Amino acid sequence: DAGVIQSPRHEVTEMGQEVTLRCKPISGHNSLFWYRQTMMRGLELLIYFNNNVPIDDSGMPEDRFSAKMPNASFSTLKIQPSEPRDSAVYFCASRRTGTPAGELFFGEGSRLTVL
Amino acid sequence: GIQVEQSPPDLILQEGANSTLRCNFSDSVNNLQWFHQNPWGQLINLFYIPSGTKQNGRLSATTVATERYSLLYISSSQTTDSGVYFCAPRGTGANNLFFGTGTRLTVIP
């Protein structure tokens, strides 16, 4: 079975540019999560969706960050404009909610470097 | 959210040694997962364990939800066990997991 698929795996961009990260959750999973991992802050939840609806975006750092989930099989995380402090690994994860609830599975991450 | 404390923060083992990693959490949970982040950065699912004990090869995990802790046992460690181990409980009524800062394990040959 295909796992969570993220693209791009690596992105290097210059400050001020727009960055779009993409995620395809596991088929049948109805919750999707975006996490960011840095050395300083560890793994932190940015936003999660349930049935394509954003439920909690309190972890989104600021208005430069936005996330969408137009359908059950696709989500994007956009940073505009990007800044060097946004450099991190961004993980997408998905799980099935309901009964029985399922475990969370992560994609391989998108490593972002903003120069 | 739930506060998660993992110990020890760092651990160096000789290949073949056994170890126990501990995870304490601050509130009631209805589930808990253990992950291994390998040196390439991938987060690998180890256990999905709200309570009781599970075993998978050389690894086993025990969660005592009433006492708010979970343990991960690694026996006969191998160099491929190196990486960071994360504990991530999910609170009652919550959808998201809360991550600790992890235990960094280095297994030397």
Side-chain angles (χ1 to χ4, degrees), chain B residues 71-86:
Chain B
L71 303 173
L72 178 69
Y73 307 94
I74 304 174
S75 64
S76 303
S77 57
Q78 300 176 357
T79 55
T80 52
D81 295 332
S82 296
V84 182
Y85 289 81
F86 289 102

Side-chain angles (χ1 to χ4, degrees), chain A residues 31 33 35 37 39 43 45 48-50 56 91 95 97 101-108, chain B residues 31 33 35 37 40-43 45-48 86 90 94-100 104:
Chain A
S31 284
F33 302 76
Y35 286 85
Q37 186 176 35
M39 289 292 292
L43 267 165
L45 178 67
Y48 77 87
F49 296 83
N50 198 40
D56 182 357
F91 287 100
R95 63 185 285 264
T97 57
E103 61 189 285
L104 189 69
F105 290 90
F106 282 85
E108 296 196 330
Chain B
N31 224 316
Q33 290 186 237
F35 296 89
Q37 188 165 37
W40 295 269
Q42 296 173 308
L43 282 158
N45 290 38
L46 296 178
F47 292 101
Y48 180 62
F86 289 102
R90 180 161 60 86
N95 198 9
N96 55 306
L97 302 183
F98 293 90
F99 280 82
R104 181 174 298 277

Side-chain angles (χ1 to χ4, degrees), chain A residues 11-17 82-85 87 112-115:
Chain A
E11 173 109 1
V12 180
T13 190
E14 293 191 344
M15 182 173 63
Q17 296 299 304
S82 58
E83 297 182 3
R85 60 189 167 131
S87 297
L112 173 65
T113 302
V114 183
L115 304 174

